[in-house]
Amino acid sequence: MRILLRTTLGFCIVLQVLAHGHHDKLTEEETSAPVDNILWIHMLLQGFVWGVMFPIGMVLGLSRSRWHVPLQATGYALTFGGYILGHTHKGRSFLAGAHGTFAKILFIPILAQLVIGIYLKLHINEKSIRPWIVPLHGVIGKAYPILGWVQILFGFIAFRGYCRGGALGQCLAHYIMGSGFIAYAVMMTIILLVGEQWIRRSGRSPEFFDSAVITAWGIVNTFTEHHGGAWSVKDMQHTILGVLWWTGGILGLYLSRNNQRNVVPGVIIFLTGWGMSQHAQALMISTQVHSMFGYTLMLAGITRIIEVCVYVPSYASDASDDSQSEHTLAEGSVSQPQLSGKAIASRTFRYLTPFLLVCSGLLFMSATDEELRYIHDNEMDHVTYILIIFSLSFLLYTHIVFLVNLYSASGRNAPKNSSIDDGNIELVSPGPGVKWPYARVPLRQNSAGPHVLGDDEEEEVEDMMAPHGVNRR
């Protein structure tokens, strides 16, 4: 997912440079005119549709909820209405850029999904064409959150007039890597809440996938951070971070054999945070924000290491941990498992690392020279600015967890009665020959006891993991 996000952002931000030539004649008065109400409605409406409605609709589609079609249809109608508003507002004018270009590109998946959805509702050619159309419908639908994130980001860039000329390179670095940290947090949250069954069947520990992506990303960064000429301090720091990632990633891959967990990804996250906390900047506020980004990333690495070493033991087939007993239902109860103290602590602790990664991602995306120069010119101190970013992080991570939990509580996964647990994974002691000490994903329960996933439901978990860079075995 991070590689896809990186490629998409890089391609589309470059479009901003290629597409603005014929609008360079805008006057200063036109670009600094007040923003009228129509434009505010356009921004709020499209942000709500692509940031909230479509992701919820995607989750409801994964869970086969009957509300999927009505919600997506409403989103399409609001999208077209918002597009019209974006071209009929008065007041401020904007140079052509990636936001307008990408808005036209978005009509391709929108119309494709609309046509495919109508076809699927007709239930024709069930055996010949439909088996090919259903996977395509799923792939396009799962891309909507990524497309929405990119377009909302482009809208912010267009509104502020950022990322032009010499600022393009820094925008690419901050927005792509910041989005990558957030994507990492999304993957980790999915695995923690509904994806453990898939991970267990894959025969790989979570650190195998972490290390693979870190290695690939490190190789790319090693050869893209220096663009010729004399080596600056920043060039050397960015390049050696790339080397750190692929060398550490190789070690992580080796240690992940035999389903063993390891702390290498956590160590790499910690060292990356330490490096960024020492990243000198021209403005004092920029130095402070970069330092806080580094400290937050270091804390994310530490919590990841603690999770691996303390809360989740070795996953080798001979591993055991007496402190984690298998949860059992209390007599006469069908809902509340009896958990050990360590399992309860784990259920709380496991949210910390992905939340800190979300904070780190937003902090890094908010630390470009253009953004911090604007904050500095408006006499806002770094404390206020950082606390604003953390507040946004709380909202964003709440949305992420809500979407994952919605999957386990809607559609075919909805409980048949009110007595149900919260859909989270419970840690259990591994039995003989079991390499993953996790219970099966408890999507719902009934009076007969915990629900066991069927083949279709296991495929749904696989489908949910697929767009995030994890392939089926």
Side-chain angles (χ1 to χ4, degrees):
M1 179 178 179
R2 285 179 287 177
I3 295 176
L4 175 62
L5 196 59
R6 181 189 181 103
T7 304
T8 304
L9 280 169
F11 172 74
C12 293
I13 290 182
V14 169
L15 290 178
Q16 180 163 331
V17 176
L18 301 178
H20 74 273
H22 62 287
H23 284 275
D24 283 341
K25 296 182 180 180
L26 290 178
T27 65
E28 179 69 22
E29 182 179 356
E30 290 175 314
T31 57
S32 59
V35 177
D36 68 345
N37 291 333
I38 294 179
L39 183 56
W40 281 116
I41 295 173
H42 162 78
M43 291 187 291
L44 294 175
L45 180 63
Q46 297 293 65
F48 176 75
V49 171
W50 285 92
V52 178
M53 284 189 66
F54 280 151
I56 292 177
M58 177 205 69
V59 172
L60 295 179
L62 287 171
S63 64
R64 308 297 192 268
S65 170
R66 61 190 178 91
W67 294 104
H68 167 67
V69 174
L71 187 64
Q72 297 299 77
T74 303
Y76 290 145
L78 293 177
T79 295
F80 285 108
Y83 182 84
I84 294 173
L85 291 176
H87 288 78
T88 58
H89 68 88
K90 307 296 182 181
R92 183 176 301 182
S93 298
F94 301 91
L95 296 171
H99 182 64
T101 302
F102 199 60
K104 297 180 178 66
I105 295 175
L106 284 178
F107 277 106
I108 297 175
I110 288 174
L111 294 176
Q113 199 73 333
L114 186 60
V115 171
I116 292 174
I118 294 173
Y119 165 80
L120 294 177
K121 280 296 180 183
L122 295 176
H123 292 281
I124 57 178
N125 303 112
E126 293 283 333
K127 296 183 179 181
S128 57
I129 300 178
R130 189 181 180 90
W132 298 91
I133 296 297
V134 171
L136 178 61
H137 182 70
V139 169
I140 298 176
K142 295 181 185 76
Y144 268 45
I146 299 177
L147 298 176
W149 175 265
V150 172
Q151 182 64 338
I152 291 172
L153 180 58
F154 286 158
F156 168 76
I157 293 172
F159 182 74
R160 294 298 311 153
Y162 293 155
C163 303
R164 296 184 179 275
L168 177 62
Q170 190 182 63
C171 281
L172 288 170
H174 280 256
Y175 293 146
I176 291 174
M177 179 166 282
S179 298
F181 285 126
I182 296 173
Y184 189 7
V186 172
M187 293 167 56
M188 192 176 296
T189 304
I190 291 174
I191 291 174
L192 287 172
L193 297 183
V194 298
E196 292 290 357
Q197 179 68 17
W198 186 93
I199 289 290
R200 193 162 69 246
R201 288 204 319 274
S202 73
R204 303 287 188 180
S205 68
E207 282 69 40
F208 172 84
F209 300 106
D210 293 355
S211 299
V213 175
I214 288 173
T215 301
W217 201 338
I219 292 173
V220 172
N221 272 33
T222 299
F223 299 101
T224 58
E225 293 298 333
H226 179 63
H227 305 286
W231 282 77
S232 66
V233 173
K234 289 187 176 181
D235 284 346
M236 288 187 284
Q237 288 182 349
H238 292 159
T239 301
I240 197 59
L241 279 176
V243 175
L244 173 76
W245 292 338
W246 67 258
T247 53
I250 290 175
L251 175 60
L253 288 172
Y254 179 74
L255 295 179
S256 296
R257 70 193 191 284
N258 299 326
N259 287 353
Q260 293 286 352
R261 299 201 70 173
N262 64 84
V263 299
V264 171
V267 172
I268 293 175
I269 293 173
F270 177 87
L271 291 175
T272 302
W274 173 79
M276 298 308 299
S277 70
Q278 305 298 312
H279 211 39
Q281 304 293 316
L283 295 175
M284 178 60 67
I285 188 173
S286 182
T287 300
Q288 296 287 353
V289 173
H290 276 79
S291 296
M292 191 61 189
F293 159 66
Y295 298 149
T296 306
L297 201 57
M298 290 167 67
L299 186 56
I302 291 173
T303 56
R304 181 67 165 171
I305 293 171
I306 294 174
E307 178 195 349
V308 172
C309 294
V310 177
Y311 288 106
V312 181
S314 171
Y315 294 117
S317 58
D318 59 347
S320 63
D321 187 352
D322 294 336
S323 65
Q324 299 187 66
S325 59
E326 182 173 356
H327 69 273
T328 58
L329 296 177
E331 184 176 357
S333 171
V334 296
S335 60
Q336 296 297 329
Q338 300 299 310
L339 302 178
S340 67
K342 191 171 185 178
I344 294 174
S346 175
R347 291 181 62 179
T348 302
F349 189 85
R350 65 188 177 189
Y351 290 102
L352 190 54
T353 301
F355 169 70
L356 291 171
L357 287 172
V358 169
C359 295
S360 301
L362 288 183
L363 280 170
F364 199 55
M365 295 176 69
S366 305
T368 65
D369 288 343
E370 292 175 304
E371 292 170 304
L372 294 176
R373 191 177 298 114
Y374 173 79
I375 297 300
H376 176 76
D377 293 342
N378 283 272
E379 300 182 352
M380 181 185 292
D381 69 309
H382 68 279
V383 174
T384 302
Y385 185 62
I386 290 172
L387 291 180
I388 290 174
I389 303 305
F390 269 87
S391 300
L392 294 175
S393 301
F394 279 116
L395 290 178
L396 179 56
Y397 191 62
T398 299
H399 188 45
I400 293 171
V401 175
F402 165 76
L403 290 175
V404 179
N405 283 330
L406 179 64
Y407 169 77
S408 62
S410 63
R412 294 196 299 181
N413 302 329
K416 293 183 178 180
N417 54 59
S418 60
S419 298
I420 183 173
D421 66 5
D422 61 0
N424 292 328
I425 305 301
E426 311 300 346
L427 294 175
V428 299
S429 297
V434 178
K435 296 183 178 182
W436 290 91
Y438 286 93
R440 298 182 70 83
V441 182
L443 295 179
R444 61 173 177 263
Q445 288 183 331
N446 52 37
S447 58
H451 171 70
V452 178
L453 287 177
D455 293 338
D456 292 341
E457 290 169 314
E458 290 183 351
E459 289 179 2
E460 288 178 19
V461 176
E462 290 183 358
D463 290 341
M464 197 171 187
M465 298 300 300
H468 300 283
V470 184
N471 296 323
R472 298 185 185 183
R473 191 178 179 185

